[in-house]
Amino acid sequence: MQVLRAVVGSGSVTAAAARLGYTPSAVSQQIAALEKEAGAELLERVGRGVRPTAAGLLLTEHADAIARQVAEAETALADLLAGRTGRLSVRYFATAGAALVAPAVARLRALHPGVQVELRLADPQDPLPDVREGRADLALVVGRPEPAGDGVQDGVRLLRLLDDPYLAVLPKGHPLAARRSLDLAELAGEPWVGSEWPGPCLDAQLAACAAAGFQPRFVVDSEDYLTAQGFVAAGLGVTLIPRLGLGGRHPDVVVRRLKAPEPARTIHAALRPTTPAQPALTAFLEALREAARGGPAVP
């Protein structure tokens, strides 16, 4: 059909052959094959040239439309491969939203305004199925620090972004409040306010306490950072909250660093190991790393 388009556009087989880089014989063979498939004559001779029949004109119009669509497809593909366009589906958990995802999306939009990002909160019980099954391109997940850093686990590739340390949150009048930092073991005899759901975040706290030689005695389960601070401010106990979770701080609590050991949770970006290279995804990962490097300061 594109050969027919060239013949109709130039008015002769010879001119079309010169434009396409074919021999006149090859062009004539292509037109004959197309007429056989169409079941109709497509060209008629006029003097030394040719002009399209009604059927030839119809196919030429469709060939024009196809050529435009192919050109549009080539342009769209080039934009996609260059990262100028694309669509990403991202799953995240609440405390990573403001500190990591929001600045990463803002950076991506500034550099690649044509990329669309779909954001959804991840399933707190298991955020990985959406990535494994192709419903999401990337998910932010939490785990304890691992020596290996990156690797494939549970069918996904984990890319380490940052370690998010837990900080001690005490009532303002607590005897330890005057200290700048605390050994974790100094909180062994305190009543504790729970701040995490059961899972890797709570596991990171419990593992650090076990390493310090004690098991915390929880007197309140809140499973929410702001609520936990309210209980602490009321003098009901102490709690641990990760740095990313301290975006808002109760006026009647103090926050102190922990050491020996320092509890921490590790935040990873989870992707499918088989995902082909995507400039938009690569750019978003770099934006996440940039946000992680400039993480929030300790209150």
Side-chain angles (χ1 to χ4, degrees):
M1 289 176 65
Q2 296 308 312
V3 169
L4 173 66
R5 177 170 172 257
V7 172
V8 172
S10 60
S12 76
V13 170
T14 302
R19 178 191 298 181
L20 296 173
Y22 296 162
T23 64
S25 175
V27 170
S28 296
Q29 290 174 12
Q30 290 285 328
I31 295 299
L34 184 59
E35 287 180 328
K36 183 176 181 181
E37 290 184 16
E41 292 187 4
L42 303 177
L43 298 171
E44 61 176 318
R45 290 196 170 276
V46 178
R48 295 184 177 181
V50 293
R51 68 183 178 190
T53 64
L57 185 60
L58 175 67
L59 287 186
T60 299
E61 291 172 351
H62 282 282
D64 287 338
I66 291 171
R68 288 193 301 271
Q69 291 173 345
V70 169
E72 290 170 2
E74 289 174 343
T75 300
L77 181 60
D79 287 341
L80 180 67
L81 295 179
R84 292 186 291 270
T85 61
R87 184 178 182 85
L88 296 176
S89 180
V90 176
R91 303 291 184 266
Y92 68 98
F93 58 94
T95 53
L100 296 179
V101 177
V105 171
R107 178 179 174 82
L108 183 70
R109 284 181 176 173
L111 297 176
H112 304 278
V115 176
Q116 299 179 21
V117 182
E118 174 201 63
L119 300 172
R120 290 187 185 179
L121 280 169
D123 182 344
Q125 300 302 317
D126 189 357
L128 296 180
D130 279 357
V131 174
R132 280 195 298 261
E133 296 166 17
R135 293 187 296 274
D137 298 295
L138 178 149
L140 294 184
V141 297
V142 175
R144 287 182 296 178
E146 299 292 342
D150 300 343
V152 177
Q153 178 181 319
D154 296 330
V156 298
R157 182 185 176 202
L158 297 178
L159 301 178
R160 188 174 188 157
L161 294 176
L162 80 159
D163 291 339
D164 188 20
Y166 280 88
L167 304 170
V169 181
L170 314 172
K172 266 192 173 179
H174 194 281
L176 297 174
R179 304 264 298 278
R180 296 187 64 182
S181 63
L182 308 172
D183 288 345
L184 183 59
E186 293 181 89
L187 302 179
E190 300 285 340
W192 280 50
V193 174
S195 64
E196 298 285 12
W197 290 87
C201 294
L202 180 59
D203 291 345
Q205 290 190 26
L206 297 178
C209 291
F214 73 97
Q215 181 175 348
R217 178 173 61 89
F218 291 100
V219 297
V220 179
D221 287 331
S222 70
E223 299 174 344
D224 174 80
Y225 299 143
L226 289 176
T227 305
Q229 290 187 59
F231 283 119
V232 171
L236 300 184
V238 302
T239 193
L240 302 187
I241 295 179
R243 182 182 297 178
L244 292 185
L246 279 167
R249 181 171 144 187
H250 196 288
D252 294 324
V253 302
V254 295
V255 177
R256 297 294 180 260
R257 293 180 183 271
L258 288 166
K259 56 183 180 178
E262 180 185 51
R265 60 182 188 174
T266 299
I267 298 177
H268 298 273
L271 308 91
R272 288 186 303 283
T274 56
T275 298
Q278 301 179 47
L281 182 58
T282 301
F284 186 66
L285 275 171
E286 182 52 39
L288 281 173
R289 290 190 174 105
E290 184 70 23
R293 287 192 290 267
V298 177

